[in-house]
Amino acid sequence: MKTYLLLLIACFLCLLACNKKTGNTSEQQLRAENFKLKQENDSLKQLLTKTDTTSLKTDTVSQITTLPPVSSNYPKIPGKHALTLQWISWDVPGSVNITEAEDGWYKITGQQIDKKNSENYLRINGKIKPVNASELEFEGTIESKITTINSGKPCVRTGRKIFKATGTRKYWRLQDMINCEGGMLTDYIDIYF
């Protein structure tokens, strides 16, 4: 019986030794992975410190942090632009005239009148300025009337609104698109470049 007991203890000790070796192997693998990650991290740090940030001039940095009113690769804001509301027509646009005002703002006035039914119209009057390379901030009044929508009553939007150009589209679209009638009725009011 002592022999069995000694044999059992020997087996137990052998199992403990095997587990300890396996644990060491896992521990060694983790250490090796951590070492590799540390090496990658250090090489990335070296690349970043080698990058010459001193070549940026103060003027360039200020241009990056503050967008100019109109960038060279972006359409000019002042001038005459086409204006459409899809309920009236995309094929026969109206127009807006945008002129320089003060403090980065531009005055904007214009309209689109339906050639088939002169009771249908879109009018815009206010001021507009660039927010960034694709957005214009508008303050003023946008009024539209379509006889078959909103019980034929005018839909008037006032206050601050955003027009935004997205993707490759060649127009700024009013982001407040829900018609005064509500529900799922959407107005697409666009100012073209």
Side-chain angles (χ1 to χ4, degrees):
M1 180 140 196
K2 281 185 179 182
T3 316
Y4 288 115
L5 187 56
L6 285 174
L7 187 60
L8 186 61
I9 292 173
C11 287
F12 181 72
L13 290 174
C14 185
L15 282 173
L16 281 177
C18 288
N19 282 341
K20 195 170 187 180
K21 280 185 180 178
T22 306
N24 284 344
T25 305
S26 297
E27 211 173 286
Q28 287 172 350
Q29 286 175 343
L30 286 174
R31 284 184 185 162
E33 286 176 25
N34 282 339
F35 182 74
K36 285 179 186 176
L37 288 173
K38 185 180 181 316
Q39 282 180 325
E40 286 178 32
N41 193 19
D42 290 344
S43 66
L44 289 173
K45 282 181 186 176
Q46 287 174 354
L47 283 173
L48 287 174
T49 54
K50 284 181 184 177
T51 305
D52 185 14
T53 55
T54 58
S55 65
L56 287 176
K57 297 178 183 173
T58 310
D59 294 338
T60 309
V61 174
S62 67
Q63 286 176 358
I64 292 170
T65 56
T66 20
L67 289 169
V70 180
S71 66
S72 60
N73 62 352
Y74 199 67
K76 296 191 186 306
I77 293 173
K80 190 174 182 179
H81 297 268
L83 173 72
T84 61
L85 170 62
Q86 91 276 18
W87 306 118
I88 297 173
S89 173
W90 274 317
D91 298 328
V92 184
S95 67
V96 291
N97 193 28
I98 302 175
T99 56
E100 289 191 43
E102 301 176 340
D103 301 324
W105 287 93
Y106 297 86
K107 183 175 171 45
I108 181 170
T109 58
Q111 65 182 2
Q112 180 185 25
I113 297 176
D114 191 344
K115 300 292 182 197
K116 296 175 185 171
N117 181 352
S118 61
E119 290 183 49
N120 296 333
Y121 64 84
L122 166 65
R123 294 187 186 121
I124 185 169
N125 188 15
K127 59 184 184 174
I128 203 161
K129 76 173 177 178
V131 175
N132 58 42
S134 63
E135 294 181 14
L136 300 174
E137 178 181 353
F138 171 82
E139 284 186 20
T141 303
I142 300 170
E143 181 179 331
S144 62
K145 180 183 173 204
I146 305 298
T147 55
T148 57
I149 298 172
N150 196 30
S151 303
K153 298 177 199 161
C155 178
V156 181
R157 296 171 171 94
T158 59
R160 182 184 178 275
K161 306 292 180 193
I162 295 292
F163 282 85
K164 185 175 184 177
T166 58
T168 59
R169 293 179 176 161
K170 300 291 183 195
Y171 53 82
W172 297 283
R173 176 163 283 168
L174 180 66
Q175 297 303 291
D176 178 8
M177 296 183 211
I178 303 300
N179 184 279
C180 295
E181 186 173 295
M184 300 298 286
L185 199 58
T186 303
D187 290 341
Y188 296 124
I189 299 173
D190 302 324
I191 301 171
Y192 293 78
F193 302 168

